[in-house]
Amino acid sequence: MKFQHIACYMLVAALLSSCSVVVPPGTPPGVTVDLVPNGRYARRKYRPMRPTYITIHATENYARGAGAYAHAQMLKTGSIKGRHNAIGYIGWHFTVDDHSIYQSMPTNERGEHADYDGPGNRSSIGIEMCENRGNDRARTLDKTARLTAWLMKQHGIPLDHVVPHQHWLMVRHDDHRNLGHKNCPHFLMDRGRPGAKWQAFLRRIAAYRRSM
């Protein structure tokens, strides 16, 4: 019986080990890694990236349950299509709400979140801030600032390369239609452009970066 028990425990341990999550190198503390499957959806093509920018977004999804976990699951199952981009799916790296952060793509792989074939997608880490009902915006902003500062340190990205989605000119992949500059993240823009609110957000990021 003892040998049977030992064999059983060894089998369970092996199964648990085989199901463990492989955490990508350089994962920020406090982040849940729940990646889009390799070779599927937003990662269906391997497109390596050396990040030199960080792009900040807002989801504009106000449904009560549309927090970080829900968005991570949508990315993981290919639910967010990108009809006009090169791979047919939307993909970004981190989603932040008032109590959690989920990582959906490795930071050394290109996403589809900023500007189709432009430098925003080719060179930036995408961070989406949630806006679901019941979410605390102040806490979400603070968590985003901390995450951004950590990523700046990890990748050697300067503060002037932390930009809003609005920074990038959006020209579609398939028909080359120029969509201009999106008012995003809208609650940090002033009349559609970076102003006092954006500068205050950058100051918070800079303060966290100095403390690291």
Side-chain angles (χ1 to χ4, degrees), residues 21-93:
V21 174
V22 178
V23 178
T27 298
V31 170
T32 300
V33 178
D34 198 8
L35 300 182
V36 175
N38 190 22
R40 303 288 302 276
Y41 311 124
R43 299 181 68 204
R44 72 182 186 87
K45 294 180 181 179
Y46 176 63
R47 299 183 297 173
M49 177 184 75
R50 177 181 173 272
T52 56
Y53 281 84
I54 299 170
T55 301
I56 308 296
H57 303 261
T59 62
E60 298 187 41
N61 185 349
Y62 307 109
R64 184 171 294 278
Y69 171 78
H71 282 90
Q73 294 307 301
M74 286 189 280
L75 294 180
K76 192 175 181 179
T77 57
S79 300
I80 309 178
K81 303 294 192 298
R83 281 196 308 123
H84 298 288
N85 70 29
I87 60 171
Y89 294 92
I90 302 298
W92 59 85
H93 299 85

Side-chain angles (χ1 to χ4, degrees), residues 156-171:
I157 296 173
L159 186 64
D160 62 359
H161 279 206
V162 177
V163 298
H165 186 186
Q166 186 275 342
H167 178 83
W168 307 110
L169 178 66
M170 300 171 61
V171 179

Side-chain angles (χ1 to χ4, degrees), residues 116-142:
Y116 299 96
D117 301 323
N121 282 336
R122 295 198 310 268
S123 65
S124 78
I125 296 168
I127 302 176
E128 286 276 359
M129 295 185 290
C130 292
E131 300 186 78
N132 51 300
R133 283 184 295 163
N135 183 60
D136 186 318
R137 180 174 291 174
R139 291 189 63 182
T140 300
L141 279 167
D142 191 67

Side-chain angles (χ1 to χ4, degrees), residues 95-138:
T95 311
V96 184
D97 62 26
D98 61 1
H99 63 279
S100 63
I101 303 173
Y102 280 79
Q103 182 175 1
S104 295
M105 298 187 70
T107 56
N108 62 357
E109 291 185 23
R110 168 183 164 173
E112 287 285 346
H113 56 89
D115 58 355
Y116 299 96
D117 301 323
N121 282 336
R122 295 198 310 268
S123 65
S124 78
I125 296 168
I127 302 176
E128 286 276 359
M129 295 185 290
C130 292
E131 300 186 78
N132 51 300
R133 283 184 295 163
N135 183 60
D136 186 318
R137 180 174 291 174

